[in-house]
Amino acid sequence: MFMSSDNTGKQGAFSNLSQTILKKLEENGITQPTKVQNEVIPQIAEGKSLIFQSETGTGKTYAYLLPLIDKLEKDSDTTTLRILVCAPTFELASQINTAAKKITERKTALFIGGAPLKRQLETLKEKPQIVIGTAARLVELIRLKKLKVNDIYALIFDECDRLLKKESYEDTDNLRNCVAKNCQIIGCSATLNKASRIFFADAEQKIMPEEFILSKSITHWAIYAENREKIDFLRKFLAAENPGKALIFTSRSDQVENIYKKLTYKHVDCMALFAKADKQMRKAAIDKFRSGKCRILITSDLGARGLDIPDITHIIQMDLPEEDDFFIHRSGRTARAGKRGINVVIGDEVEMRHYAALEKKFGLTVYPKQIRNGKISEPIV
């Protein structure tokens, strides 16, 4: 989100932003636009509907927020809803809300399903101009005539490919149908799919060239382990590697608690994003991990999408996801903002074959590793 690696002009696409926003960006250490920001900001500023794809960690959130908030800052109206952002998860929506607050004093609000509706109705009385939330709750508030979307500049679908999955398509489609036909529609993801291209058929499309972050900035390791031995191998790996900040993924949400219990039993300091945990508990876990007070966080794939936590040094995958796109989103939580990272897969024979296929598909180099005598080394052939 906060990368500043592009060298196209001193400020590139930032040159037309207000001094107020530029000052806010500078306070957050952002002085140069990324490649995707250079391409997308001018198009969004022109009011074009757009769908764009760019790799994880390349700055997509500010690519759409900056031009829209710049427009908002120049608007004398301070009480009308102008920007509506839809995200697939609480974690991503919360992150977008935080990003918006860093660059504007205009009021923002976060509306998530599962949170008390009464409290959200009270928040609406404060007349936020930027609203971020999940599709079902946003549609509910609109149908209750509490969230008025007649005058919004733009509706954004972040991680739109996930929003268009079978289980969430109806809510996403209903949300789009709630806004005026002349509303600017924006979609983005690191992995656009056929459904995304159909849903946004009337929008312009921008596919950013690969920056090969997955292959160039991330080192990929493979550690063989039978399923019953995986958590023990994980514990040994953490002891041997002592990662600065490690995010552990498992496809099964029930395994999150299992891994957490077994690690804490062995006195490993870690946190977990439990599927059954309420929003406050999940936020507390992420905040503690983000701040570095806890260096190990366990999650299912709900944490893979768009989660932007600085300085994650290691991704550890306790299995491989069924959908290859999730491998990209998992791995892309490290090596952000121009840094490097390590992605580790702890897998059995079937998963190692799958990993070999991913190695070929994505042009990776996977290095087999083993843990011997408390150290990580090359396997003895």
Side-chain angles (χ1 to χ4, degrees):
M1 185 187 300
F2 303 138
M3 290 176 66
S4 54
S5 59
D6 192 67
N7 298 315
T8 309
K10 187 178 179 182
Q11 288 186 319
F14 288 178
S15 59
N16 292 323
L17 299 176
S18 70
Q19 288 302 312
T20 303
I21 289 181
L22 289 175
K23 185 178 179 182
K24 293 273 190 185
L25 289 171
E26 193 171 348
E27 288 171 359
N28 285 282
I30 304 169
T31 57
Q32 296 276 345
T34 65
K35 291 177 181 178
V36 67
Q37 289 163 2
N38 257 333
E39 291 287 337
V40 167
I41 287 174
Q43 295 186 61
I44 292 178
E46 289 175 15
K48 293 179 179 178
S49 287
L50 180 71
I51 178 175
F52 66 97
Q53 174 179 298
S54 186
E55 290 179 68
T56 59
T58 53
K60 292 186 291 295
T61 304
Y62 275 155
Y64 65 75
L65 278 183
L66 284 170
L68 294 173
I69 289 178
D70 185 65
K71 182 178 180 179
L72 180 63
E73 293 281 353
K74 296 166 184 172
D75 192 337
S76 59
D77 186 326
T78 60
T79 60
T80 302
L81 176 62
R82 297 298 195 189
I83 300 168
L84 188 61
V85 185
C86 179
T89 64
F90 162 78
E91 285 76 17
L92 179 55
S94 179
Q95 185 175 285
I96 297 166
N97 188 44
T98 299
K101 286 178 179 292
K102 288 182 177 180
I103 55 172
T104 186
E105 300 297 325
R106 297 294 179 103
K107 195 170 292 296
T108 72
L110 186 63
F111 297 134
I112 307 295
L117 184 62
K118 185 177 180 181
R119 189 180 303 166
Q120 293 180 355
L121 294 176
E122 289 298 315
T123 301
L124 279 171
K125 292 178 182 178
E126 299 173 12
K127 299 190 179 302
Q129 292 197 281
I130 304 170
V131 164
I132 303 108
T134 48
R137 180 50 57 93
L138 292 176
V139 170
E140 182 180 9
L141 289 168
I142 292 169
R143 287 177 173 170
L144 287 171
K145 302 188 184 305
K146 300 298 182 181
L147 187 65
K148 296 177 172 59
V149 296
N150 297 335
D151 298 307
I152 63 172
Y153 300 146
L155 169 58
I156 303 99
F157 296 94
D158 201 322
E159 300 291 355
C160 57
D161 57 330
R162 181 167 178 182
L163 287 168
L164 294 170
K165 294 285 186 185
K166 184 178 179 180
E167 64 273 12
S168 51
Y169 181 90
E170 185 177 355
D171 291 325
T172 303
D173 189 48
N174 285 339
L175 179 60
R176 181 171 180 173
N177 289 331
C178 285
V179 302
K181 288 187 177 181
N182 63 350
C183 175
Q184 185 177 10
I185 302 294
I186 299 164
C188 67
S189 180
T191 51
L192 294 180
N193 54 18
K194 184 178 179 181
S196 303
R197 292 181 176 89
I198 294 171
F199 189 80
F200 296 94
D202 52 352
E204 293 192 19
Q205 186 178 123
K206 182 67 185 178
I207 307 296
M208 292 299 297
E210 284 191 65
E211 296 181 38
F212 300 102
I213 292 171
L214 198 67
S215 59
K216 290 184 177 179
S217 300
I218 301 174
T219 302
H220 299 271
W221 291 354
I223 296 177
Y224 175 82
E226 293 294 341
N227 194 54
R228 65 183 180 277
E229 300 174 327
K230 283 186 178 184
I231 299 177
D232 191 45
F233 270 75
L234 170 64
R235 180 185 60 79
K236 290 176 181 177
F237 175 83
L238 294 171
E241 182 72 357
N242 191 25
K245 191 179 281 188
L247 187 58
I248 300 168
F249 282 106
T250 175
S251 297
R252 289 170 45 197
S253 56
D254 61 325
Q255 271 294 92
V256 173
E257 187 169 5
N258 187 35
I259 294 168
Y260 173 77
K261 285 181 175 179
K262 289 188 176 181
L263 288 183
T264 52
Y265 180 76
K266 293 291 186 177
H267 309 293
V268 177
D269 183 23
C270 58
M271 299 287 290
L273 294 179
F274 299 113
K276 297 177 183 177
D278 61 29
K279 303 298 187 294
Q280 285 71 30
M281 288 178 67
R282 283 159 60 176
K283 183 178 184 301
I286 289 176
D287 287 348
K288 193 172 179 181
F289 183 60
R290 187 185 299 277
S291 68
K293 291 179 181 177
C294 180
R295 295 188 294 122
I296 300 167
L297 180 65
I298 308 155
T299 183
S300 62
D301 285 307
L302 66 86
R305 290 294 189 133
L307 197 62
D308 189 9
I309 294 176
D311 305 320
I312 293 178
T313 57
H314 292 70
I315 298 299
I316 305 170
Q317 305 195 41
M318 300 297 288
D319 50 38
L320 286 172
E322 289 183 9
E323 296 181 42
D324 293 349
D325 284 355
F326 273 86
F327 177 83
I328 296 173
H329 287 279
R330 284 179 175 188
S331 304
R333 298 312 99 202
T334 189
R336 299 176 80 81
K339 296 183 179 179
R340 296 193 59 82
I342 295 173
N343 172 56
V344 185
V345 174
I346 299 177
D348 59 19
E349 186 176 345
V350 173
E351 287 160 333
M352 287 298 122
R353 287 200 296 269
H354 186 184
Y355 200 9
L358 292 175
E359 180 181 21
K360 184 176 181 180
K361 179 177 181 178
F362 296 127
L364 313 177
T365 300
V366 175
Y367 299 93
K369 298 289 180 180
Q370 67 176 8
I371 307 167
R372 288 174 61 87
N373 302 321
K375 294 182 179 180
I376 297 168
S377 61
E378 305 291 329
I380 298 173
V381 180

